[in-house]
Amino acid sequence: IAEHDEDISVWTGDQKAATRVREIEKADYDTLHKDYSESVDALQRAIAVLKKQAHDRPQASFAQVSNLMSLNLIPAEAKKALDLFLQTSQDPEGLEVSAPEAHGYEFQSHGVIEMLEKLLDKFIEERTALEKSEMNSKHAYDMLMQDLTAQIDQATQDRTEKSEIKAKKLQAKADAE
């Protein structure tokens, strides 16, 4: 009986510890998933803006592209490329003076669009891997909890049966005396 009580106590502690670990994992997952989702969304908007502006024009607005600079997951080299792109796109550099028939800005950011699309694909892949890892982790936790619950239930049942048998034996012994 004492052995079953000890087992039940250990398994209950294991359940509590596993639940705490799972809560921490879930919080980390939620934070990282939010970062990836925000980055993917911002990249999609920026790519859409750049593709929409894929023509020659006198002046350009790149608010969506400049928003990418503030995201955590954007690599440093991508930020440098975006910064250079934004600087050159806002400075026509005398094209109007030397050739009046030329546009103030000719669309030259196909490389930036390609880089952003690669970054978008990378983030989507990483977010998908993160989601898959989260599902596996949740499944493992669920299986562990199910196993521990079954063990606790079985040990409780065994302890109850042994307690009843012990009580019957003590009663029979008392009746015999």
Side-chain angles (χ1 to χ4, degrees), residues 94-108:
L95 285 177
E96 293 175 338
V97 175
S98 61
E101 71 279 353
H103 294 283
Y105 173 75
E106 293 180 17
F107 191 75
Q108 300 172 353

Side-chain angles (χ1 to χ4, degrees), residues 31 35 92 95 122 150 156 163 170:
T31 301
D35 280 350
L95 285 177
K122 176 185 167 204
T156 302
S163 294
L170 287 174

Side-chain angles (χ1 to χ4, degrees), residues 47-59:
I47 290 169
V49 165
L50 287 174
K51 284 185 175 179
K52 203 183 308 176
Q53 297 178 353
H55 57 82
D56 299 337
R57 66 197 154 283
Q59 189 68 24

Side-chain angles (χ1 to χ4, degrees), residues 65-72 74 78-80 82-83 86:
V65 178
S66 61
N67 284 344
L68 292 174
M69 301 298 279
S70 65
L71 294 173
N72 297 340
I74 303 294
K79 285 184 179 181
K80 285 182 190 173
L82 287 172
D83 194 38
L86 290 173

Side-chain angles (χ1 to χ4, degrees), residues 139-159:
H139 179 68
Y141 169 77
D142 290 342
M143 294 294 288
L144 175 66
M145 294 308 284
Q146 186 177 6
D147 185 46
L148 288 172
T149 301
Q151 288 177 341
I152 290 170
D153 291 347
Q154 184 63 46
T156 302
Q157 184 180 350
D158 291 348
R159 186 190 72 205

